[in-house]
Amino acid sequence: MNKMNYKNIEQQPLIRSYIEGSRQSSNLFWALAVSTGGLGFLLSGLSSFFKVNLLIFSDSTQLAFVPQGIVLVFYGTVGLTLGIFLWLTIWWDIGFGYNEYNKQSQKVTLYRKGFPGKNRELCLTFNFDELKSIKMFIRDGLNPKRQLFLCLNDSREIPLTGSDKPTALNKIEVEALNLAKYLNIYLETD
């Protein structure tokens, strides 16, 4: 959750926090690296088949097409396919969304973007009387995880934060405490 205003939180009629999607610099780096590598492998394999140098920085015409060239074409095709997938994921901004808490209408709205198709947009709405608690899930160690969940009376747990980057412990605690106060529900930890 980012950019939530915590001043006089109980008096605000509406709170909206945004979730970052796949348009991140790290994803751009990996999409570029995988696409470039895949293109390099593909051009090396094709150079060995056609005996024409398609690369500027090396000469792949001396490679035997069987088996090295075939393997290079295969790896290049896989790399380019994965690169296209990563670029489309960034273009569509998969995972972007917001959490909206509205005291006037007594509703919580969770909106997320997914892959194109019939269910591209996910919009969940819950009444305040369906809410049970805000749950903090904190796991430290080699692969730390810090998430907030919205717990409902029917035992469902809906994630409120992304799981890609661990948030600072003090930030997630403040967010959880303020949300629990705003929604007038319990705060639990796991």
Side-chain angles (χ1 to χ4, degrees):
M1 296 166 77
N2 15 350
K3 298 179 181 146
M4 189 184 287
N5 186 3
Y6 295 118
K7 295 180 182 172
N8 302 324
I9 195 163
E10 290 93 13
Q11 297 167 357
Q12 293 181 17
L14 179 104
I15 297 174
R16 184 178 276 186
S17 61
Y18 290 91
I19 307 296
E20 191 175 14
S22 60
R23 287 187 189 156
Q24 300 174 20
S25 57
S26 62
N27 289 346
L28 289 170
F29 168 78
W30 286 112
L32 184 64
V34 169
S35 299
T36 305
L39 183 63
F41 276 107
L42 183 65
L43 291 177
S44 292
L46 292 177
S47 293
S48 72
F49 179 73
F50 293 118
K51 300 297 182 198
V52 174
N53 190 19
L54 299 173
L55 290 171
I56 298 168
F57 52 85
S58 72
D59 185 16
S60 303
T61 57
Q62 302 305 318
L63 291 173
F65 183 67
V66 177
Q68 290 95 346
I70 292 174
V71 171
L72 287 171
V73 168
F74 173 72
Y75 284 152
T77 305
V78 170
L80 280 177
T81 304
L82 182 59
I84 290 169
F85 171 76
L86 291 172
W87 285 114
L88 288 174
T89 301
I90 293 166
W91 176 264
W92 292 321
D93 202 13
I94 305 299
F96 170 78
Y98 62 84
N99 303 331
E100 183 179 274
Y101 312 96
N102 192 331
K103 269 197 174 177
Q104 291 174 340
S105 65
Q106 296 284 300
K107 292 190 184 290
V108 174
T109 304
L110 308 175
Y111 172 83
R112 300 290 186 276
K113 277 185 172 180
F115 287 99
K118 188 172 70 169
N119 299 322
R120 172 150 169 72
E121 295 180 348
L122 175 67
C123 188
L124 303 173
T125 305
F126 305 104
N127 292 320
F128 277 18
D129 58 358
E130 295 179 66
L131 309 179
K132 181 177 134 189
S133 64
I134 297 290
K135 182 179 183 181
M136 280 192 322
F137 177 75
I138 298 170
R139 183 181 69 200
D140 289 323
L142 192 57
N143 188 15
K145 228 179 197 180
R146 296 178 183 140
Q147 283 185 291
L148 291 182
F149 291 91
L150 182 66
C151 299
L152 305 177
N153 290 329
D154 59 3
S155 301
R156 288 184 289 171
E157 294 181 357
I158 314 294
L160 296 176
T161 56
S163 61
D164 54 346
K165 291 189 250 180
T167 311
L169 190 57
N170 62 344
K171 277 180 130 180
I172 202 152
E173 286 175 343
V174 168
E175 288 175 8
L177 184 63
N178 284 321
L179 273 177
K181 252 190 236 181
Y182 184 80
L183 298 170
N184 196 24
I185 55 178
Y186 295 106
L187 176 63
E188 49 181 284
T189 59
D190 186 14

